[in-house]
Amino acid sequence: MPHRRILSLWFPRLGAERLIRAEPWLADMPFVTVAEEGPAQVVSSLSQKATEAGLYRGQPLRDAHAMCADLVTRAAIAHREAAFLGVLHRWAGRYSPWVRSEPPDALVIDLTGCAHLFGGEEALAAQVHQDCANLGLSVRLGLADTLGAAWALARYTAQDVGSHRSGDAIDQEARATRARAGKRRHWERGGLPPGAPARALPEGHIAEVGKSWSAISPLPVAALRLDAYTQEQLHRLGLRTVGDLIGMPRAGLARRFGRGLVDQLDKAVGSAPEPVSPATPPERFSTRLSLPDPIGLAEDVEAALERLARALCDRLRAAGRGVRVLRLEAHRADHTMQWLTLKLAVAGHDPERILPLLRMKIEEIDAGSGIDMLRLEAVQHEMIHERTIAGHEVAAARGRARQEGGVGPATEDLLNRLSARIGMEAITRRHPGDSHIPEKGAQVVAAAWSEPAQDWPALPVRRPLQLWRPEPVMAPDRPRLGAEFRWRGRTFGVLAATGPERILPEWWLEDPEWRSGPRDYWRVETDKGERLWLFYAHGGAQSSGWFCQGEFA
C-alpha cells in the first residue's frame, strides 16, 4: 500500500493576482487590495512590487499610502475571490481527484498513488510551479505525509523563526524580574550560546516519506497553526521551533497551554489523524456533438440541436432536474467559438418546449468557416417534481385556478418566447406595494421569478392608468382649480373636477419628492379630451402649487 502523501498549495497573492490577470498593467506598479476590518481599512493582498516597497498584509491603508506614494488600490471582493479559488479547485483535479479548498487562498491535494504519473514528486512540484506561472499566479507548496506538515512546509520554509515579541525585551518581563534582567545571559533567555551556528531553515519543501517530523522541526511554532496568544506564551518561555516541542511531555504541554497545542502537534507528526475530505463536485449536465465535417446550413444546425436537446433532457429527467439557463456553444473550424445564452421562465426538461426556443436562436449563430462541434450545457438547473395524476374534479379545479390566475403552459411558453427575443430581464409584472403613496402602490418584479398577484387591495377611489413624476402646472396658487390651466405648453379648459382626495406624506421617511407637503388630488376632465390627475401641494420644505401626475384611460 502506498504511503499517504499530502500536497498543500498556498497562493499568497491570490487576491491581487486575480485582478492583475484582468488588468496586466497593475503588475508594473505597487498594487494592493483593501479589506475592511471594523472601522479600519487594511491591506488584504499585495503584488510583488508592493512587497518590494515594504508593504505587508494587514497593514493599515493610511500607513501603506504614507510608505508608497504611487500605490494603486482595489477593493477586495470576498465572493469573487472565493469563486476564483473554486476555479483553481477544479484545475487542481488534474493532479489528483482528492482535492479540498482551504479558503481564502489555499488548496489541499491528497497525492497518494498519483505522483508517479508525473515522474515523481520533484517533477510534479516543478509541473505545479510551471502551471501556476502560466496562470500568472504565485504559489508556495509543501509535500509531506500529513496535512499539518505539508501546510507548515508551504508557509514557513526558509523564513525567519524570530518574533517581534520574543520575551527578551525588558518591558515584557514581569516587574519583579526586571532588576535581574540585565544580569541574565542571552542564551539563558532562549537565545543561542556564544559560538553556536545560527539556526538554518530547510530550503526544501518536500519532506521524505516517514520523516515529516524532522522536516518541520526547525520551523517556527506558528507552523503548527496555533493562535497568537499561544505563540506568544511559547516565545516567552524560549520555545521557538517545533523541534523544541516534539520532545516535551504531552501532559505538561496540555496542562500549560491546553489540549489544542497537543492536538496540532500530533496532527503535524502523524500521531493523530487529519483526513482530507474533498468537496462534493456539483452536478453538471451537458451534451456535445462532434461533426465529421463542418456544417453551416440552418437545417443542419437545427437537426444537431434537436439531438443535443433530447439527450440533455433525458439526463435531466433521470436526475429529477429542470434547466433554467441554457448555454449553446458553436465551435468553428478556425478554432473560434460563439456562445449564446437562453433563459427559461420555468425550469423544465421537456424537449418539445425547449426546441422551439433553440430554433429562434439559430439565426444568431455565425457559422463562419463551418461549425465542427456543438455543445449544449445546463448552466443553471433546479430540482423539479413530477406532477401527480389527479381525478376529473381535482383536475378541473386546478384548470380553473390556472385560467383565473393567468398561469399555465401557454403563459410559460409565451414568456419563454419573449425572453428568447428581448431577454428575461425585460419581462416584468406588477405586485401590490405596502404604501399609500400613489407611486409606491405597486412594485415591479421579474415575471420569470414571480406569480401573478392575487391580493390587490380595493382602493376607495380610482387611480390613473399612467403615472409619472409630478410636472408643474401653471394655475392660480389656491386650493381650488380655476376655469383653465396651462400644462406642457398647452392651455386646457376645465369641464369637470372631482375631488379633493387628501394624501399625506410618509412622515417617518425623508422623501425628496414629498417635500411640498400634503396633497389634494383632483380628477379633471379637460376640453381637449384628456382626463388628468392633478394635485395641489400645500407647501412644506418647498413652495405650494399645482402639479400633474397622471392620466386616466
Side-chain angles (χ1 to χ4, degrees), residues 144-146 149 207-208 210-218 242-243 246 268-270:
D145 297 337
T146 64
E208 297 182 15
K211 296 184 178 180
S212 296
W213 62 271
S214 60
I216 65 174
S217 292
V242 178
I246 290 180
V269 300

Side-chain angles (χ1 to χ4, degrees), residues 138-203:
S138 303
V139 66
R140 299 191 61 178
L141 60 87
L143 182 57
D145 297 337
T146 64
L147 172 56
W151 189 94
L153 292 174
R155 289 161 175 81
Y156 290 96
T157 48
Q159 295 186 14
D160 187 11
V161 301
S163 171
H164 69 287
R165 288 184 63 86
S166 62
D168 295 343
I170 187 66
D171 60 350
Q172 297 177 31
E173 296 282 351
R175 185 182 299 273
T177 62
R178 289 183 182 178
R180 300 195 306 272
K183 301 178 182 179
R184 295 168 58 191
R185 298 176 176 85
H186 69 279
W187 60 84
E188 296 176 353
R189 304 196 301 269
L192 296 174
R199 293 189 181 100
L201 295 180
E203 295 290 340

Side-chain angles (χ1 to χ4, degrees), residues 38-214:
Q41 290 184 320
V42 298
V43 174
S44 175
S45 180
L46 60 165
S47 64
Q48 181 63 36
K49 293 286 186 180
T51 302
E52 295 172 358
L55 309 184
Y56 56 91
R57 179 181 294 187
Q59 183 180 20
L61 183 60
R62 61 179 183 274
D63 296 347
H65 277 296
M67 294 178 59
C68 184
D70 57 344
L71 181 64
V72 179
T73 64
R74 292 287 189 276
I77 306 177
H79 70 274
R80 292 186 180 178
E81 294 179 4
F84 186 54
L85 185 63
V87 174
L88 295 178
H89 180 279
R90 295 193 295 271
W91 160 80
R94 69 189 303 267
Y95 303 108
S96 171
W98 216 257
V99 184
R100 188 184 77 186
S101 298
E102 284 194 341
D105 54 8
L107 297 173
V108 176
I109 307 174
D110 192 337
L111 286 179
T112 304
C114 299
H116 70 281
L117 301 175
F118 298 86
E121 294 178 349
E122 291 286 351
L124 186 145
Q127 183 65 43
V128 169
H129 278 292
Q130 183 60 45
D131 290 348
C132 290
N134 296 337
L135 294 174
L137 300 176
S138 303
V139 66
R140 299 191 61 178
L141 60 87
L143 182 57
D145 297 337
T146 64
L147 172 56
W151 189 94
L153 292 174
R155 289 161 175 81
Y156 290 96
T157 48
Q159 295 186 14
D160 187 11
V161 301
S163 171
H164 69 287
R165 288 184 63 86
S166 62
D168 295 343
I170 187 66
D171 60 350
Q172 297 177 31
E173 296 282 351
R175 185 182 299 273
T177 62
R178 289 183 182 178
R180 300 195 306 272
K183 301 178 182 179
R184 295 168 58 191
R185 298 176 176 85
H186 69 279
W187 60 84
E188 296 176 353
R189 304 196 301 269
L192 296 174
R199 293 189 181 100
L201 295 180
E203 295 290 340
H205 48 260
I206 301 179
E208 297 182 15
V209 176
K211 296 184 178 180
S212 296
W213 62 271
S214 60

Side-chain angles (χ1 to χ4, degrees), residues 183-269:
K183 301 178 182 179
R184 295 168 58 191
R185 298 176 176 85
H186 69 279
W187 60 84
E188 296 176 353
R189 304 196 301 269
L192 296 174
R199 293 189 181 100
L201 295 180
E203 295 290 340
H205 48 260
I206 301 179
E208 297 182 15
V209 176
K211 296 184 178 180
S212 296
W213 62 271
S214 60
I216 65 174
S217 292
L219 302 185
V221 293
L224 295 177
R225 298 171 287 178
L226 304 176
D227 58 89
Y229 177 76
T230 303
Q231 294 179 38
E232 181 179 349
Q233 296 302 311
L234 291 172
H235 289 162
R236 291 176 65 88
L237 296 177
L239 303 174
R240 292 179 173 82
T241 65
V242 178
D244 297 337
L245 299 174
I246 290 180
M248 299 188 67
R250 297 293 192 268
L253 291 175
R255 284 194 303 269
R256 180 66 183 269
F257 302 103
R259 184 65 189 175
L261 171 61
V262 177
D263 290 341
Q264 294 293 78
L265 184 60
D266 289 342
K267 289 177 182 179
V269 300

